């Protein structure tokens, strides 16, 4: 059974085959621990809908960066599936997902992600600090961007990505 799935950059030009692939990922159920769909911005809405009512209770790490750049169709379904992991989720990357609608976050119960260690929401327009606190139960989450800054500063550099 599937434990770690890395489909990063697989659906960038078009979403051909995405429905079948997401059906297989959805069926992984309790065995899935890591999911990487980074830069899969061409997955069509109907493919994301396959994840509605999906349960991934063992999921620990998710990367959906740049999946929702054109529109947010399907974001609710995938975030609900990710939410099924509850406090087991420790890493969530949503960088560049500027089209995730506020309603997608609103469907997730309070304190669902209380053990997140890293959460990157840079570019996600519809989430603010209050909503993040609601979803994490006020847990101190160190965002990836902050971790990169701290690492860079310790090495004597300034802004991450700059000399």
């Amino acid at each position: 059974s599937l434990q770690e799935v890395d489909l990063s950059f697989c659906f960038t030009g078009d979403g051909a085959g995405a429905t079948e692939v997401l059906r297989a990922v959805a069926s992984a159920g309790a065995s899935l621990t890591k999911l990487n769909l980074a830069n899969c911005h061409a997955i069509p809405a109907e493919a994301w809908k396959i994840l509605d009512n999906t349960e991934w209770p063992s999921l620990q790490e998710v990367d959906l960066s740049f999946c929702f750049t054109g529109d947010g169709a399907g974001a609710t379904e995938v975030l609900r599936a990710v939410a099924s992991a509850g406090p087991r989720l420790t890493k969530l990357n949503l960088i560049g997902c500027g089209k995730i609608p506020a309603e997608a976050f609103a469907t997730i119960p309070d304190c669902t992600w209380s053990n997140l260690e890293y959460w990157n929401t840079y570019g996600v327009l519809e989430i603010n600090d209050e909503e993040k606190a609601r979803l994490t139960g006020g847990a101190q989450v160190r965002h990836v961007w902050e971790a990169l800054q701290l690492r860079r500063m310790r090495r004597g550099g300034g802004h991450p990505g700059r000399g």
Side-chain angles (χ1 to χ4, degrees):
S1 59
L2 294 173
Q3 290 182 325
E4 297 183 14
V5 175
D6 186 346
L7 296 168
S8 55
F9 295 92
C10 285
F11 300 102
T12 57
D14 65 40
T19 300
E20 294 78 14
V21 169
L22 288 183
R23 187 173 289 118
V25 173
S27 71
S31 66
L32 190 65
T33 59
K34 292 182 184 179
L35 177 62
N36 185 351
L37 293 171
N39 293 288
C40 289
H41 51 82
I43 294 176
E46 58 272 9
W48 288 117
K49 289 181 182 177
I50 288 169
L51 300 179
D52 203 20
N53 299 314
T54 295
E55 300 265 330
W56 291 321
S58 303
L59 196 59
Q60 297 168 12
E61 298 180 18
V62 177
D63 189 343
L64 297 172
S65 57
F66 300 99
C67 283
F68 299 100
T69 56
D71 66 50
T76 299
E77 289 81 5
V78 72
L79 286 178
R80 277 199 299 244
V82 170
S84 71
R88 284 164 298 290
L89 193 71
T90 59
K91 295 182 182 180
L92 179 58
N93 188 0
L94 299 175
I95 189 170
C97 291
K99 298 296 183 173
I100 295 177
E103 300 80 38
F105 292 108
T107 64
I108 300 169
D110 293 358
C111 303
T112 295
W113 296 323
S114 57
N115 289 323
L116 272 181
E117 296 170 8
Y118 298 100
W119 188 7
N120 195 339
T121 57
Y122 185 78
V124 179
L125 306 176
E126 297 297 331
I127 191 161
N128 56 35
D129 290 340
E130 184 178 303
E131 185 71 349
K132 288 177 190 174
R134 180 187 73 77
L135 294 170
T136 62
Q140 294 298 314
V141 180
R142 201 162 98 186
H143 295 219
V144 173
W145 185 255
E146 293 166 357
L148 288 173
Q149 286 177 315
L150 291 173
R151 196 171 329 142
R152 183 83 168 160
M153 290 168 77
R154 277 191 220 123
R155 289 190 355 221
H159 188 276
R162 293 187 191 153

